[in-house]
Amino acid sequence: MNVTEKAALHPCVAHRGWSGAAPENTMAAFRLALSEPAVQRIELDVHLSKDEVPVVIHDASLKRTTGVKARVRDKTAAELAALDAGSWFHRMYAGEGIPALSQVLELTRGRCRLNIELKDGEPDKDLLARKVGELLQAHEREEDSILTSFDHALLLAARRHAPRTRTGLILDKRPSNIAAVLDSLGAKVLSLNHKYVNVALLAQTEAAGIEVMAWTVNEQRDLNKLATYAQSFQLCTNYPDRWLAAVR
């Protein structure tokens, strides 16, 4: 199997953008991911701002990436955009704000697919799913995006508000009766901690028509091992350059 075939078998998903080389979930990280032609997908996280705008950030709190002692939902989208979400990573990224999902949809349109995680813990799950679904429709990104979540209620809401978009369940444990669970949610994708991805599981999911994404695979030895598997699945990593080394 040549490099092109291996890359197609295990497509690279840039986790929170190229977050190993730029601050996670920022436009800088997304632009960097797009600079590598081998990156076919980008994973990102979405919360709602105070004014009900889907914004791209992993934590519900602003403290870790901006130093601000507040919650995402306590700030408007404009206020979040004005924060410094880059200096914590490196001073060269000072001033990188928290982007709106609409910005990322526009940046990646026609260039890269998206895996959008709907973050659990939102007080109004239906509202989050509806707002994201409306954006996907407005930007004509319904069919080249995936909506994922740990939260079953969020996935059911996503099915209602984005019926043309595939959905996926995120798990950080060994799956049990996974085909039946996904079927009950109307989901077609399993986003799974790479520690639980093995040949037997992949045979099971392949037979059930379930698409698998293994996250977050950052160590070169783990990438090298997973890249030898014959079954098709996505490799989600902070380091697309390490993924490229693995498929080579």
Side-chain angles (χ1 to χ4, degrees), residues 27-189:
M27 297 301 282
F30 301 138
R31 285 191 292 266
L32 189 60
L34 291 173
S35 73
E36 172 49 69
V39 173
Q40 301 180 29
R41 295 165 171 82
I42 290 175
E43 187 271 351
L44 53 86
D45 308 280
V46 172
H47 288 274
L48 284 182
S49 65
K50 183 179 181 179
D51 48 348
E52 299 180 354
V53 174
V55 294
V56 182
I57 182 172
H58 179 271
D59 301 357
S61 167
L62 297 168
K63 184 69 172 68
R64 179 173 64 89
T65 56
T66 72
V68 175
K69 294 181 179 179
R71 298 172 300 176
V72 175
R73 65 173 180 259
D74 292 333
K75 303 284 187 181
T76 66
E79 290 171 332
L80 294 167
L83 296 178
D84 180 358
S87 289
W88 71 272
F89 188 88
H90 193 280
R91 62 180 178 274
M92 69 181 288
Y93 292 110
E96 280 287 332
I98 296 171
L101 176 59
S102 58
Q103 292 175 265
V104 186
L105 290 171
E106 193 59 36
L107 175 72
T108 58
R109 182 173 177 173
R111 302 172 69 187
C112 188
R113 298 179 181 181
L114 294 181
N115 183 314
I116 302 168
E117 181 179 344
L118 304 175
K119 299 303 292 184
D120 50 357
E122 286 289 331
D124 191 334
K125 297 173 185 181
D126 193 75
L127 179 64
L128 173 60
R130 176 166 63 84
K131 290 292 185 178
V132 171
E134 289 171 353
L135 278 180
L136 292 178
Q137 183 176 13
H139 288 263
E140 299 181 332
R141 300 297 303 274
E142 295 167 283
E143 294 184 4
D144 72 343
S145 300
I146 299 173
L147 295 176
T148 61
S149 184
F150 283 96
D151 191 309
H152 290 203
L154 269 172
L155 291 178
L156 291 171
R159 295 297 303 149
R160 292 194 297 271
H161 295 294
R164 294 172 58 195
T165 302
R166 288 176 299 153
T167 56
L169 178 65
I170 309 173
L171 284 181
D172 191 10
K173 61 182 180 180
R174 196 175 305 280
S176 176
N177 200 24
I178 192 60
V181 173
L182 291 186
D183 186 61
S184 71
L185 298 170
K188 300 295 184 182
V189 179

Side-chain angles (χ1 to χ4, degrees), residues 190-194 197 212-217 226 233-237:
L190 172 63
S191 180
L192 183 64
N193 187 318
H194 75 90
V197 174
V212 174
M213 183 181 80
W215 57 265
T216 300
V217 198
L226 290 169
F233 61 96
Q234 301 170 37
L235 282 173
C236 184
T237 179

